[in-house]
């Protein structure tokens, strides 16, 4: 056999002949297959790097293991959390739904977590979660709604049983049906840089109300916020985006108003 797999006595194909063209075509195909095979590992690495970059700085998926936010967010839902806007100085606002790190012992009051996965499956899920291809089930994360921000006075309840912020009663249609706004009376002056949070399923949420006797009266540090929940991504039938409830736009903001010069506002035209 010749060095290129051709019998020794077989003459080389004539340049430009059909046999020569076929041989060149086969060589080109082999080179393309080899090049594609070498590109696959590189593409995988690039995809993983992009996924990790998105998870770290932009958007991350979270798995909801408890019913503390029902009916707004149900057990098993996957929510997408915006981690980008805080990098541009955006502040958490009243009415936002936020994911935050456990301030210490809060998770003990939440509902039981799903049964652990078998060995092997657990490691695969942990790897995919780490690179951002699966929602996080990190046991150190909680999800609640922000009721008060630094400088606010949050109180319950007024004569009609409503939660008030800076004296303004909240209309809370997002509270789980059958739940009172709060069965626990409280009045908290929220320190600067901290947040007072509550679950929408008030009867099944170990939120700020259950930590009133701790430091900072159950408020959480803004620095512990991972990001703002923006949408339920899965299951498809639960898909919905989160908007700030209108009731929070009615809350007077005395603390911030005093910190900056007052601006004249145009008077709105009366309704017809």
């Amino acid at each position: 056999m010749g060095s290129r797999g051709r019998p020794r006595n077989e003459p080389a194909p004539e340049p430009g002949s059909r046999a020569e063209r076929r041989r060149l075509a086969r060589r080109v195909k082999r080179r393309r297959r080899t090049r594609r095979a070498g590109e696959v590992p590189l593409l995988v690495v690039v995809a993983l790097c992009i996924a990790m970059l998105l998870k770290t700085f932009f958007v991350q998926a979270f798995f909801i293991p408890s019913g503390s936010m029902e009916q707004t967010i149900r057990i098993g839902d996957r929510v997408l959390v915006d981690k980008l806007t805080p990098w541009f100085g955006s502040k958490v606002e009243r009415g936002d739904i936020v994911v935050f790190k456990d301030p210490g012992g809060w998770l003990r009051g939440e509902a039981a977590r799903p049964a652990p996965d078998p060995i092997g499956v657990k490691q695969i899920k942990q790897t995919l979660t780490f690179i951002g291809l699966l929602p996080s089930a990190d046991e150190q994360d909680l999800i609640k709604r922000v009721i008060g921000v630094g400088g606010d006075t949050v109180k319950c309840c007024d004569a009609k049983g409503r939660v008030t912020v800076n004296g303004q009663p909240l209309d809370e249609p997002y509270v789980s049906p059958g739940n009172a706004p709060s069965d626990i009376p409280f009045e908290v002056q929220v320190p600067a840089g901290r947040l007072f949070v509550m679950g929408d399923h008030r009867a099944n949420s170990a939120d700020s109300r259950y930590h009133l006797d701790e430091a900072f009266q159950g408020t959480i540090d803004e620095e512990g916020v991972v990001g703002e929940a923006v949408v339920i991504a899965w299951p498809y039938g639960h898909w919905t985006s989160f908007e700030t409830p209108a009731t929070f736009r009615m809350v007077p903001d005395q603390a911030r108003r005093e910190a900056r010069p007052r601006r004249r506002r145009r008077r709105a035209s009366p309704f017809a």
Side-chain angles (χ1 to χ4, degrees):
M1 297 291 290
S3 60
R4 296 184 182 179
R6 188 176 66 252
R8 293 182 183 277
N9 297 328
E10 182 180 333
E14 294 290 335
S17 66
R18 181 177 297 178
E20 175 67 9
R21 290 196 298 270
R22 288 176 180 172
R23 187 173 66 84
L24 291 175
R26 288 195 296 270
R27 181 182 299 176
V28 170
K29 288 182 179 179
R30 285 196 298 270
R31 287 178 178 175
R32 286 177 178 173
R33 285 196 297 267
T34 302
R35 185 169 61 250
R36 288 172 183 170
E39 289 175 350
V40 169
L42 177 61
L43 292 175
V44 171
V45 171
V46 171
L48 293 179
C49 290
I50 292 174
M52 292 183 67
L53 181 66
L54 290 173
K55 172 193 169 185
T56 303
F57 298 106
F58 297 94
V59 176
Q60 184 175 353
F62 283 83
F63 171 80
I64 304 304
S66 77
S68 67
M69 283 296 293
E70 291 178 331
Q71 299 291 327
T72 307
I73 307 173
R74 306 175 192 177
I75 296 174
D77 284 351
R78 275 74 168 173
V79 300
L80 297 184
V81 171
D82 172 19
K83 303 172 71 175
L84 176 64
T85 49
W87 288 80
F88 293 94
S90 176
K91 292 292 186 180
V92 177
E93 299 290 345
R94 306 181 195 96
D96 290 348
I97 297 175
V98 296
V99 171
F100 58 95
K101 296 297 182 183
D102 183 4
W106 283 39
L107 283 165
R108 289 195 297 269
E110 294 292 308
R113 300 250 160 183
D117 294 310
I119 296 177
V121 175
K122 177 181 178 180
Q123 282 69 28
I124 293 173
K125 284 188 173 181
Q126 287 176 338
T127 301
L128 294 176
T129 298
F130 175 73
I131 61 179
L133 298 180
L134 273 185
S136 172
D138 187 349
E139 293 185 355
Q140 301 306 308
D141 296 324
L142 298 101
I143 185 166
K144 305 290 180 192
R145 188 182 297 275
V146 176
I147 304 299
V149 298
D152 287 344
T153 298
V154 185
K155 183 179 179 180
C156 192
C157 298
D158 68 359
K160 295 184 179 181
R162 298 170 295 185
V163 173
T164 65
V165 181
N166 299 337
Q168 175 69 34
L170 300 181
D171 176 22
E172 301 185 282
Y174 46 79
V175 171
S176 186
N179 282 196
S182 180
D183 292 325
I184 302 172
F186 61 85
E187 183 172 358
V188 174
Q189 178 79 34
V190 183
R194 302 191 70 85
L195 308 168
F196 190 90
V197 297
M198 299 172 71
D200 289 356
H201 193 177
R202 298 287 163 82
N204 188 33
S205 177
D207 47 43
S208 291
R209 298 169 297 159
Y210 287 79
H211 303 274
L212 296 171
D213 57 345
E214 300 175 6
F216 304 106
Q217 292 185 276
T219 59
I220 65 168
D221 192 338
E222 284 185 353
E223 297 297 324
V225 173
V226 176
E228 178 188 351
V230 293
V231 67
I232 297 175
W234 187 262
Y236 180 76
H238 293 179
W239 189 95
T240 186
S241 59
F242 302 124
E243 302 291 341
T244 302
T247 188
F248 289 99
R249 294 196 289 270
M250 304 298 294
V251 175
D253 197 352
Q254 298 296 339
R256 295 185 185 180
R257 215 176 270 169
E258 293 171 0
R260 63 174 182 259
R262 293 187 177 183
R263 293 179 295 178
R264 296 185 63 183
R265 300 176 61 184
R266 294 181 59 186
R267 295 176 62 91
S269 300
F271 291 105

